[in-house]
Amino acid sequence: MKARWPIALLVLAAWPAAGTARSPKLSLTATAVAPADKAGVQTIGEGAYFYRPAGGPGGRRPLLLLLHGAGMSASGFIEGARAEADRCGCLLLSVQSKGPTWDTVRMVRRASLDGVSDVYRLFGADTDRIEAALSTALGASDADARSVLLVGFSDGASFALSLGLANRSIFRGIVAIAPGLYVEPSPTGSKQRLFIAHSPADRVLPFERTRNDIVAPLKRAGFDLRFRSFEGGHAVVPSVLAEGVDYALQRGTAEE
């Protein structure tokens, strides 16, 4: 399949991998180490942070995998999302990119500049890190492996869409706030619930690109998708995040 330029949509095709490039497919395995059974934030690996709310209902909890924006930190994102975890009773996993932003985003932009029309294996060491951290987090005694969401902001939203669409059997849904692009694999597996939000006042990544080049083709592909326009510029608005989580988890508090 061909990539469409200059818009932000890329489609995986048979282009040989180079360097440390790898497939986007995650292979999760049981690990010898699991998060401790205690409330609060704990480090569970290189650049990976895990949060469990205090109290709440017993039993299994959904897990939100957080992917930060360019120049941001995993520790800062998990701190900012703690209130949402407390509200929804969810576990949090936040992973740090090895560079200033996610390598997939950099590889996609490089492919665009080089005029590459067939793209494949635009994933690298950051995907390795996520694979390891998620394997560990799912070892938590209260983690629900059937309710894992990818939640990303800015470049993290672009990466969340790209990685999440390639792993539909792992991620129940995706919450992408202010994305700029995505890599779409060939259609496989089950459909997901996608929540994409962007502010028309965003001065960092264009609202129109998200609406026209990301949301429109995904809707045509038949995804269960809600697109939310919100005020607030290039930022994570708590009420928007809460709506996205409820929608992706199919909770009744999300307005249908």
Side-chain angles (χ1 to χ4, degrees), residues 126-151:
D126 284 336
T127 300
D128 293 335
R129 181 174 283 194
I130 287 171
E131 186 174 71
L134 185 55
S135 293
T136 300
L138 287 175
S141 60
D142 51 351
D144 185 355
R146 299 168 302 175
S147 297
V148 182
L149 304 185
L150 257 176
V151 179

Side-chain angles (χ1 to χ4, degrees), residues 68-81:
H68 62 78
M72 299 174 65
S73 70
S75 58
F77 201 176
I78 204 167
E79 285 298 324

